[in-house]
Amino acid sequence: MGDIIIYFANWIWGTPMLILLMGGGMILLFHSGFVPFRKIGHAISLLSGKYDDDLAPGQITSFQALSAAIAATVGLGNISGVAIAINMGGPGAIFWMWVSAFVGMATKFYSCSLAIMFRGKDSSGEIQGGPMYVIEEGMGKKWKFLSVIFSVAGVLGLLAIFQANQLSAVFRAVMLEPAGISTGETTRWIIGISMMVLVAIVILGGIKRIANVASKLVPFMVVLYFTTVIIIVFKYVGDVPEMLLKIVTDAFTGEAVAGGAVGAVIITGARRAAFSNEAGIGTAPMVHGASKNNEPIREGLIAMLGPFIDTIVVCTLTALVIMLTGVWQSTEADGVRLTLNAFETALPGIGKYLLMTAVLIFALSTMFTYSYYGHKCFNYLFGAKRADFYNYFYLITIVAGAVASLEVVVSLVDGMYAIMAIPTMISTIYLAPKVKAAYKDYFERMKAAK
């Protein structure tokens, strides 16, 4: 059974997902008239909050929604995912991550506009958003089976097992092993239970507490990581142009990959970008759908900044650190350990602790938001009264993640992500003309108001 799960995850994250996410995203990018490039200035101005409407339906502000969505996406994908991309596809994979990010911005713009346009109500009468409501309200009841598929995959796929496992591994490598403290079974249980308690304090307070904590943690997390990386980049500043050139040239030659296979570089970059910014998976529309906003286009434009911050900014900085320090050519380490080596090479003595702090905040903030996503899927399937049972199941799996060996479980999570993308992309492309019409109307009204 385990082998089947691993095979399925590897197969579906190959060409099928590439066609669905990159191909579908390309269609949306052209259909929108290249909104991510033309309207990014307006999207940034929306974050100031001057257009926020406290009386609009929803539970949180647009800034809090973006923070919660970034808390879920800016995480271990940016730290270990970039290292895996360079390891598997060479520096050229980063270029294809950039391409995927701009495509992903168009996908997020459409899917999160739809999350406001077609909100539904749960069994308790609370306004809710997300692909399952978009499908039911926008496409009609006959498509409800897609909502059910999305929600079942969400309940199983949006567990924090991977984050718990990686955070536990980094904590053991940085803090315990150098101090000569045992990293055996008992230690893993202690780490797992500690993480569970920390996450429980936040998630049992519901979306308002999750969004509140995320909107405070995310800016701090990005500033800490950003500052550390800028210091490292500045230290090697003379080599930066050469590294950026290497990213671009290697994207089309595949020199760093065995056999020079450009196709392998593109697939690696696109796959890691999809994991990193989650555009098209359907998670961000769930949190943006809870925003106090009556303007679907406004929410879509704000959501569109997620892949830009996540992939263009954070992933590029991580890639530069790994390349500038040269660790990607001289070490067998992969994933988060490769990034640890890069930080420690550039900033001996303190680098690994700075990265440890960033990983801690990245992983915990992701765990907070994932619980909300899974909770919403459970709520849709079983009703609001039973939805809180999901939180307890979710908390137990954090301990399991810290203790267990996870190849099969991580493959299960990956496979469920892919299944979630199918209803999300079908509904987004099907309803895209409605977003285009709303987009024209919104900017005509904005022009008239000036």
Side-chain angles (χ1 to χ4, degrees):
M1 187 66 189
D3 289 343
I4 293 168
I5 291 169
I6 293 166
Y7 174 80
F8 172 74
N10 287 335
W11 170 78
I12 200 163
W13 273 108
T15 311
M17 269 304 103
L18 194 67
I19 292 167
L20 183 68
L21 294 175
M22 287 285 279
M26 279 289 188
I27 291 167
L28 296 171
L29 185 62
F30 281 101
H31 185 265
S32 73
F34 295 90
V35 161
F37 298 100
R38 295 192 297 111
K39 297 297 180 186
I40 196 163
H42 183 64
I44 291 166
S45 71
L46 290 172
L47 280 183
S48 66
K50 70 176 179 178
Y51 298 106
D52 284 0
D53 179 2
D54 288 336
L55 300 175
Q59 293 105 9
I60 54 178
T61 67
S62 294
F63 176 72
Q64 287 178 322
L66 181 67
S67 294
I70 290 173
T73 55
V74 174
L76 292 166
N78 304 75
I79 294 176
S80 56
V82 172
I84 292 165
I86 292 174
N87 238 359
M88 289 172 64
I94 304 304
F95 177 85
W96 296 108
M97 285 182 78
W98 294 342
V99 172
S100 299
F102 282 112
V103 168
M105 285 172 75
T107 306
K108 277 255 173 105
F109 166 69
Y110 276 89
S111 61
C112 294
S113 294
L114 288 168
I116 295 288
M117 203 178 282
F118 296 108
R119 292 203 258 207
K121 287 187 175 170
D122 64 18
S123 60
S124 67
E126 182 79 64
I127 293 234
Q128 298 284 3
M132 55 287 224
Y133 296 99
V134 169
I135 291 162
E136 199 176 321
E137 303 292 323
M139 294 172 72
K141 298 278 190 218
K142 66 178 181 290
W143 295 93
K144 185 169 176 169
F145 72 94
L146 285 177
S147 299
V148 173
I149 290 168
F150 176 87
S151 300
V152 169
V155 166
L156 295 171
L158 293 163
L159 297 171
I161 297 170
F162 174 67
Q163 284 73 23
N165 182 259
Q166 290 284 286
L167 181 53
S168 171
V170 173
F171 188 76
R172 294 197 309 272
V174 175
M175 305 299 288
L176 303 184
E177 285 167 14
I181 298 169
S182 164
T183 56
E185 195 78 8
T186 310
T187 310
R188 291 179 186 208
W189 276 99
I190 293 166
I191 294 170
I193 291 166
S194 305
M195 279 193 281
M196 181 183 79
V197 171
L198 271 174
V199 174
I201 291 165
V202 176
I203 72 169
L204 297 180
I207 181 56
K208 288 185 181 173
R209 191 183 298 170
I210 292 168
N212 199 15
V213 173
S215 63
K216 289 180 175 63
L217 266 186
V218 168
F220 169 73
M221 164 175 98
V222 172
V223 168
L224 169 75
Y225 193 67
F226 206 79
T227 308
T228 309
V229 171
I230 292 294
I231 291 166
I232 295 172
V233 169
F234 197 70
K235 188 175 173 182
Y236 299 91
V237 73
D239 298 329
V240 171
E242 185 195 337
M243 294 302 150
L244 291 172
L245 187 65
K246 187 174 276 188
I247 288 172
V248 177
T249 53
D250 193 60
F252 298 97
T253 60
E255 280 171 15
V257 186
V262 177
V265 182
I266 296 171
I267 286 175
T268 301
R271 182 173 175 176
R272 298 276 47 106
F275 271 108
S276 173
N277 63 47
E278 292 171 24
I281 306 293
T283 49
M286 286 194 266
V287 73
H288 281 285
S291 172
K292 289 180 181 176
N293 200 340
N294 277 327
E295 290 281 7
I297 299 306
R298 215 167 260 173
E299 197 63 37
L301 289 168
I302 289 169
M304 169 182 100
L305 294 171
F308 185 84
I309 294 165
D310 176 274
T311 307
I312 304 293
V313 178
V314 183
C315 287
T316 303
L317 289 171
T318 306
L320 281 173
V321 170
I322 290 167
M323 289 172 67
L324 289 166
T325 53
V327 294
W328 67 287
Q329 290 171 309
S330 59
T331 175
E332 290 300 307
D334 64 351
V336 77
R337 290 196 306 277
L338 182 63
T339 317
L340 266 176
N341 287 351
F343 272 68
E344 191 57 16
T345 302
L347 301 171
I350 62 160
K352 64 181 180 183
Y353 296 110
L354 287 169
L355 186 66
M356 170 70 217
T357 309
V359 168
L360 179 71
I361 300 169
F362 279 149
L364 285 175
S365 63
T366 303
M367 288 181 193
F368 300 152
T369 314
Y370 269 27
S371 72
Y372 172 66
Y373 292 156
H375 186 275
K376 275 193 101 139
C377 292
F378 201 87
N379 181 345
Y380 182 82
L381 291 170
F382 302 109
K385 284 184 181 170
R386 297 189 187 89
D388 286 345
F389 291 126
Y390 174 82
N391 282 339
Y392 301 106
F393 167 64
Y394 181 86
L395 290 166
I396 290 163
T397 64
I398 290 175
V399 183
V403 174
S405 167
L406 283 181
E407 190 183 8
V408 174
V409 186
V410 168
S411 293
L412 173 71
V413 170
D414 289 351
M416 291 300 122
Y417 251 55
I419 291 169
M420 288 165 68
I422 296 166
T424 302
M425 290 303 290
I426 289 170
S427 60
T428 303
I429 292 167
Y430 183 91
L431 295 167
K434 294 192 184 293
V435 177
K436 186 80 177 274
Y439 169 82
K440 283 181 181 165
D441 173 61
Y442 172 74
F443 279 104
E444 278 166 13
R445 284 188 286 116
M446 289 293 286
K447 200 181 278 184
K450 278 183 179 173

